[in-house]
Amino acid sequence: MAEENILQRAPSQHLGPEYKSNEEKPSATVSTKVSHENVTVLPQTPQLIALLTMIRDKNTNRADFIFYSNRINRLLVEEALNHLPVHPHTITTPVGRTYAGVKFEGKICGVSIMRAGEAMEQALRECCRSVRIGKILIQRDEETSKPRLFYDKLPGDISERWALLLDPMLATGGSALMAVDVLRSRGVPEDHILFLNLIASPEGAANFAQKFPKVRIVTAFVDQGLDEKNYIVPGLGDFGDRFYTM
Ligand code: PRP
Ligand code: URA
C-alpha cells in the first residue's frame, strides 16, 4: 500500500529554467516522486539543490551548515504560509487607486520537536514576527529508533491556532507521529497542522500520510530511503549534532 505511493526513487533531472535547453542545464538527483496528496515537495530548483548539496556534504563545517540550512528553512516557511487561509482584502495605494488583494486569516503557532526542530524557529520568526512557539521534547532511542516523549509546553489556546510543526528530519516517522498525537490530544484538528520538514524518507512520508492524511507535509526533499540504523540515505547525518555540537 505504502510502496504504491512511491513513484520513482532518487530520479535524475536537468535543473534550471524552462527557457534553457537541457544541454545548458546540469542534471542532479532530485526528490523521490511520491503520490501522497498531503505531501508538498518544494520545487527542485538549482538554488534548492545547491543549498541541499552544501548541507549534505560531510566536509561542510558547522557555521556553513547553520547558514545554508537556515536558507532552506526560510523557503519551507514561505511555502508553508501558502497553505494557510486568506480572505479578500482591498486597500488604497498612495496614488489613490484600489488594489484587490488578500489578507491572512486565523492565528498560528510554531511547535518545534526538540532538539533539531528548534533550528527551524529562526526562519519562522523571520517570516512571522512575535509568533508563539511551543515545544515538544521527543528523542529517538538510538538502539531501537523508537521515539520517547519527555516533555511538552504549548500555548493554552493552541486548539484555536494553526500549528506549524517543525522538525528537519522525517526518518521512520515515529517522532513526528508522536508529536501530532500530542497536538491532537490538545484539541488541534488534524487539518490545522502543517508539518515543515527538510528531508523525509519515502517510508516516513508514507507512514505519516497513511496515519494522518489531513496533516500537510511541506518538505524540501524526499530522499532515497533508510539505512540499517534508520538513518536517512543519502541524507545528511545527524541534523541535531551537525547544527548544535559538531
Ligand atoms: C531526530 C530528528 C527527528 C527524528 C527523526 O531527532 O530530528 O526528531 O530523529 O527520526 P524518526 O522519524 O525515525 O522518528 P533525535 O531524536 O535524534 O533528536 P535530536 O533532535 O536531539 O537530534
Ligand atoms: N535523525 C537525523 O538527524 N538524521 C537521520 O537521518 C535520522 C534521524
Side-chain angles (χ1 to χ4, degrees):
M1 159 87 176
E3 281 293 317
E4 281 169 19
N5 290 311
I6 299 169
L7 302 177
Q8 196 187 358
R9 283 187 197 238
S12 189
Q13 186 177 301
H14 291 281
L15 298 178
E18 281 188 5
Y19 63 81
K20 289 191 177 180
S21 69
N22 276 352
E23 288 70 51
E24 294 173 276
K25 298 194 282 190
S27 66
T29 305
V30 294
S31 175
T32 290
K33 296 198 186 319
V34 292
S35 65
H36 314 290
E37 290 200 345
N38 63 327
V39 177
T40 298
V41 181
L42 292 186
Q44 303 292 288
T45 59
Q47 178 182 210
L48 176 66
I49 299 299
L51 297 172
L52 282 163
T53 306
M54 286 298 297
I55 63 168
R56 285 178 186 280
D57 188 342
K58 68 175 186 180
N59 294 316
T60 295
N61 65 34
R62 199 169 64 86
D64 283 340
F65 186 87
I66 292 170
F67 179 80
Y68 291 106
S69 55
N70 276 343
R71 283 196 54 199
I72 304 174
N73 290 336
R74 181 70 189 251
L75 297 173
L76 286 168
V77 173
E78 297 284 4
E79 173 56 29
L81 295 177
N82 287 329
H83 298 267
L84 296 175
V86 288
H87 62 78
H89 184 61
T90 298
I91 50 87
T92 306
T93 73
V95 293
R97 301 293 175 96
T98 57
Y99 172 74
V102 293
K103 194 175 182 176
F104 282 118
E105 68 180 20
K107 297 185 289 185
I108 65 165
C109 82
V111 177
S112 46
I113 303 179
M114 295 160 70
R115 146 192 78 152
E118 293 178 295
M120 303 173 80
E121 292 177 6
Q122 181 183 329
L124 180 61
R125 287 196 190 283
E126 281 167 5
C127 298
C128 310
R129 262 180 311 171
S130 75
V131 62
R132 286 166 171 73
I133 295 186
K135 309 269 184 177
I136 303 179
L137 175 55
I138 293 173
Q139 291 284 288
R140 192 170 91 141
D141 184 291
E142 286 189 8
E143 298 301 318
T144 64
S145 302
K146 299 276 180 245
R148 286 181 65 199
L149 173 65
F150 290 94
Y151 163 92
D152 69 85
K153 201 87 178 173
L154 301 166
D157 62 352
I158 194 165
S159 62
E160 295 156 29
R161 295 177 179 272
W162 286 78
L164 274 57
L165 184 62
L166 310 174
D167 194 333
M169 305 306 280
L170 176 68
T172 64
S175 305
L177 291 174
M178 187 174 264
V180 172
D181 279 335
V182 172
L183 294 179
R184 288 176 70 237
S185 74
R186 302 302 156 80
V188 184
E190 209 179 302
D191 60 4
H192 277 48
I193 302 171
L194 294 169
F195 177 44
L196 280 61
N197 166 254
L198 222 140
I199 301 185
S201 75
E203 294 79 3
N207 280 345
F208 199 90
Q210 224 168 337
K211 178 138 189 235
F212 294 124
K214 292 185 188 159
V215 174
R216 176 141 304 275
I217 303 178
V218 178
T219 185
F221 204 98
V222 181
D223 232 342
Q224 201 167 339
L226 294 171
D227 70 8
E228 62 289 346
K229 288 183 164 170
N230 285 323
Y231 267 73
I232 300 172
V233 288
L236 52 71
D238 188 305
F239 186 97
D241 284 356
R242 295 193 65 190
F243 196 94
Y244 292 112
T245 61
M246 269 172 71

